[in-house]
Amino acid sequence: MRVLLTGGAGFIGTHVHAQLLAEGHEVTVLDSFRPDVHANRPEPRPGLIVGDVRDPRTFDGIDTVVHLAAKVGLGVHLDDIDDYVSSNSLGTAVLLKSLGTIRNLVYASSMVVYGEGRYDCPTHGQVAPGPRRTDDLDNGRFEPPCPYCGAPLEPGLVTEDAAPDPRNAYAASKLNGEHLAATWARETGGRVTALRFHNVYGPGMPRNTPYAGVAAIFRSALERGETPRVFEDGGQRRDFVHVRDIATAVTLSAAALPDQPAFTAYNVGSGTVTTIGEVAAELSQAYGGAPPIVTGEYRLGDVRHITASSDRLKHALGWKPAYDLSAGLTDLLGSAAG
Ligand code: UD1
């Protein structure tokens, strides 16, 4: 393939770039080197365009686009809402408009499009819990109850056909990008695969930035000789997927595009449900640091549990994650930070 890789200098992009090259593909990276992510802006060189996806351009000699460029983060502050829309929604729109005769697109989406995960009530079956209430959280009631009877709910795995429920500007802009890409595919006869990444971790993970995920935050704390601080009661569930497994999901999806329908979404997670308390404990132990403390603090915008089934991707494309959490966290601890 002759691939245009947007966001190829970022955390995930760097690994996708390496994987594409290792598989023998030709790669052109388009990356803006946003100053809030990158300290330095390199000179353009062969195979690298330093530029913003929002600037219209033409792409010659490209048959497949992998669109990772985005403003990431929690997306909860209203101050940033226009930057999310501009960087992610408008950025995707301008890129789509610039694709010309290119017909193959992999779009980096996120589990965040679902909002809360799947929940089942013993009496009412599958239910959508209501918004989290500060009164509950302040009193240590972190599990969302059944909205009909108040009974405890059983968290489960989200599949791709679950209704999206984006809860912040980042989530809304990522879902909007999926919709725009699907529109492009219908209009042009192109094919788009949207990969809904779970919580990605691994070497090069950004840290000490507002965008740092919890695994990087815990690692930084341990390296400073501090105790990882686990919010809520530590029982919140996520699926941590290694960045190299993400890279193989991207390259497999890109190669499969010619045989795919106009629009397909795949969840991309390790398949292992983990609690934040377990991740903290595992990291502390692997590092030989102080055991984590559970603080009861919370971030109001957080969801309680979100875990997905990645079976569709495994069955359709034969993707198989190579890292289990323990090997992956050891890899994270042994690596340099991004
Ligand atoms: C992450 C992304 C978010 C994205 C979502 C879905 C970041 C920072 N977060 O959110 O933008 O929308 O995936 O793709 O990029 N926690 C602690 N201690 C800490 C920090 C966090 O216990 O010091 C807890 C949080 O309360 C949360 C969990 O760790 O329950 C995970 O936090 P985070 O890494 O931010 O991931 P998500 O909330 O899943």
Side-chain angles (χ1 to χ4, degrees):
M1 295 182 288
R2 290 178 301 175
V3 181
L4 174 75
L5 174 62
T6 76
F11 164 45
I12 296 175
T14 308
H15 289 275
V16 171
H17 191 198
Q19 182 73 27
L20 285 166
L21 293 177
E23 291 176 11
H25 303 295
E26 271 176 46
V27 188
T28 302
V29 167
L30 169 63
D31 199 296
S32 66
F33 288 81
R34 290 179 73 104
D36 54 355
V37 180
H38 297 272
N40 301 309
R41 201 181 155 97
E43 289 303 313
R45 57 176 183 267
L48 172 65
I49 304 167
V50 179
D52 197 306
V53 282
R54 287 168 291 189
D55 296 332
R57 63 187 82 235
T58 52
F59 302 110
D60 295 325
I62 299 289
D63 52 60
T64 304
V65 172
V66 175
H67 179 36
L68 305 182
K71 175 183 171 72
V72 297
L74 292 176
V76 289
H77 296 299
L78 270 184
D79 283 355
D80 277 353
I81 193 167
D82 48 348
D83 196 19
Y84 278 104
V85 173
S86 175
S87 303
N88 300 352
S89 303
L90 180 64
T92 300
V94 175
L95 177 73
L96 293 169
K97 202 170 154 181
S98 305
L99 291 185
T101 57
I102 301 168
R103 292 288 172 266
N104 299 322
L105 174 68
V106 174
Y107 172 74
S109 188
S110 168
M111 295 304 304
V112 74
V113 300
Y114 297 116
E116 278 283 356
R118 181 195 163 111
Y119 293 89
D120 290 279
C121 168
T123 310
H124 297 97
Q126 192 179 340
V127 293
R132 301 182 92 183
R133 301 181 328 147
T134 45
D135 181 48
D136 286 337
L137 299 170
D138 286 339
N139 287 292
R141 292 189 296 270
F142 298 113
E143 290 293 342
C146 174
Y148 302 110
C149 65
L153 298 173
E154 186 61 38
L157 301 180
V158 175
T159 51
E160 288 83 353
D161 47 14
D165 181 17
R167 293 176 176 222
N168 58 54
Y170 171 65
S173 68
K174 275 284 153 192
L175 182 61
N176 185 230
E178 284 195 15
H179 291 157
L180 294 172
T183 302
W184 163 84
R186 273 193 300 272
E187 285 282 320
T188 62
R191 285 153 301 255
V192 54
T193 291
L195 296 177
R196 294 175 178 164
F197 299 149
H198 229 302
N199 293 60
V200 187
Y201 73 101
M205 198 175 178
R207 63 161 139 192
N208 305 330
T209 78
Y211 316 117
V214 71
I217 294 173
F218 288 162
R219 176 177 71 167
S220 296
L222 288 164
E223 287 171 354
R224 288 193 304 267
E226 294 169 10
T227 306
R229 297 174 66 80
V230 177
F231 297 164
E232 303 186 15
D233 57 3
Q236 57 275 46
R237 299 177 184 213
R238 296 291 188 276
D239 177 332
F240 287 84
V241 55
H242 195 280
V243 66
R244 286 197 201 94
D245 286 330
I246 290 286
T248 59
V250 170
T251 59
L252 261 179
S253 303
L257 275 164
D259 303 320
Q260 291 286 295
F263 178 85
T264 323
Y266 292 114
N267 296 333
V268 194
S270 70
T272 301
V273 173
T274 313
T275 68
I276 300 302
E278 286 164 354
V279 168
E282 187 129 11
L283 265 175
S284 287
Q285 201 181 16
Y287 189 80
I293 49 165
V294 178
T295 67
E297 293 164 90
Y298 61 85
R299 302 186 305 205
L300 193 56
D302 278 352
V303 297
R304 173 65 176 171
H305 304 299
I306 171 69
T307 51
S309 164
S310 302
D311 285 352
R312 182 186 279 183
L313 179 62
K314 289 177 184 159
H315 292 147
L317 302 185
W319 176 72
K320 200 169 173 296
Y323 286 85
D324 66 18
L325 188 65
S326 144
L329 291 178
T330 306
D331 189 40
L332 173 71
L333 287 174
S335 67

